[in-house]
Amino acid sequence: MNLNFKNNLIFFKESIDKELLKIYPLGPELLKKPIDYVVTGGKRLRPSLCLLICNSFNKDISKALIPAVSIELLHLFSLVHDDIMDNDDYRHSKITIHKKWNVPVAILVGDAILALAFKRLNNADHSIKELFNSALIAVCEGQALDIEYELLDHISEKEYLNMIDLKTGHMLGLSAQLGGILSNLSIDKQSKLKNYGTLIGRAFQIQDDILEVMSNTMVMGKSLESDFILGKKTYLMIKAKDKCPKEMIKIQKQSKKDYSLAFTMYKDLLIKEGIIDQSISFVNNTFNEAELISQNIISDNSLINFIKILKNRKF
């Protein structure tokens, strides 16, 4: 991975961060302060991917910045509302909006961020607006399935992958596809870029499933307990229930008495039964599939280098 690639990503993130701080310059303090609070922090992977593709085709990054930042705003909107629904305490190493202020303010802030995302697209082509509308619906559908699945004892791997493709993969797919559109690529290449983004989103989410068991809140910068407490279906949990149904029933019963002990039992089971290793292999295979799709789209190694960064992430 060359230094120029890393420097480009740093430049993209700095440009996105500056633009985000200007999205709501004036307004009621009860809205402006939490908006300013929520737009600081984060990896900026989605908009950076869009700019990365445009840069590879020597397009004017400043023109791509507006739709790219709209992608990030759409993502931030989903995080604010997701944190409310899961009652999480931390996001991006900071107290969540609904904990720092309250739930009504957090709902209002999420709605305002969504409105700001679409307001920035007023002058965009109709086709781009349609893609954003579809992405918003996909994210909401993914979140709805996530909540529905909490009430089910078990779901299939296929159902889980469909859910995360909507909730996580679709936005990264949109980011890559938008980079192709703004670079005037063919419909075929735009489609391949969308598939590339969806696959890395799928791998990214399962990485999160692994890190939320193997890492800790300080490293991850967000709450880790809610998925286990709420009974959210993760790739690891699905595999554990398939392979060790009796042990998982014991762990679930224990979680109602002693969460910490149950979580330790769960983690030990995942390691002992090789489920962590199996999940890591699935992530790597998914990244490899995305890498194959990216070939013959961009002459440089930017999309492959982007995957390398995701593969090596610790949070």
Side-chain angles (χ1 to χ4, degrees), residues 277-302:
D277 290 339
Q278 179 187 352
S279 301
I280 291 171
S281 294
F282 185 88
V283 167
N284 289 333
N285 289 338
T286 304
F287 276 133
N288 291 340
E289 189 178 347
E291 189 173 316
L292 285 173
I293 289 174
S294 72
Q295 292 176 0
N296 302 320
I297 298 178
I298 296 178
S299 57
D300 60 28
N301 291 322
S302 56

Side-chain angles (χ1 to χ4, degrees), residues 174-225:
L174 170 64
S175 303
Q177 183 182 12
L178 189 58
I181 292 170
L182 297 172
S183 300
N184 301 314
L185 301 189
S186 66
I187 298 296
D188 179 61
K189 287 187 176 181
Q190 290 175 27
S191 178
K192 287 180 179 178
L193 284 170
K194 180 181 179 181
N195 290 338
Y196 165 89
T198 302
L199 283 169
I200 64 173
R202 176 183 289 187
F204 185 91
Q205 182 58 59
I206 298 174
Q207 268 186 326
D208 257 15
D209 293 350
I210 297 166
L211 290 170
E212 286 178 5
V213 172
M214 303 304 292
S215 187
N216 59 68
T217 297
M218 292 297 293
V219 174
M220 291 290 284
K222 64 178 182 178
S223 304
L224 303 184
E225 295 85 2

Side-chain angles (χ1 to χ4, degrees), residues 4 17 39 41 56-57 103 105 119 127 139 158 177 202 223 238 241 249-250 259 269 273 281 306 312:
N4 189 49
D17 286 341
V39 299
S56 293
F57 289 98
V103 171
V105 168
K119 183 180 179 181
S127 60
V139 169
K158 183 178 179 181
Q177 183 182 12
R202 176 183 289 187
S223 304
I238 291 167
K241 285 190 172 185
I249 290 172
K250 290 179 183 177
Y259 161 78
L269 179 71
E273 296 296 331
S281 294
F306 193 77
N312 296 325

Side-chain angles (χ1 to χ4, degrees), residues 21-38:
L21 290 175
K22 298 187 292 184
I23 63 160
Y24 191 66
L26 297 171
E29 285 296 293
L30 194 60
L31 195 56
K32 179 170 171 47
K33 281 188 176 179
I35 287 177
D36 288 345
Y37 179 83
V38 80

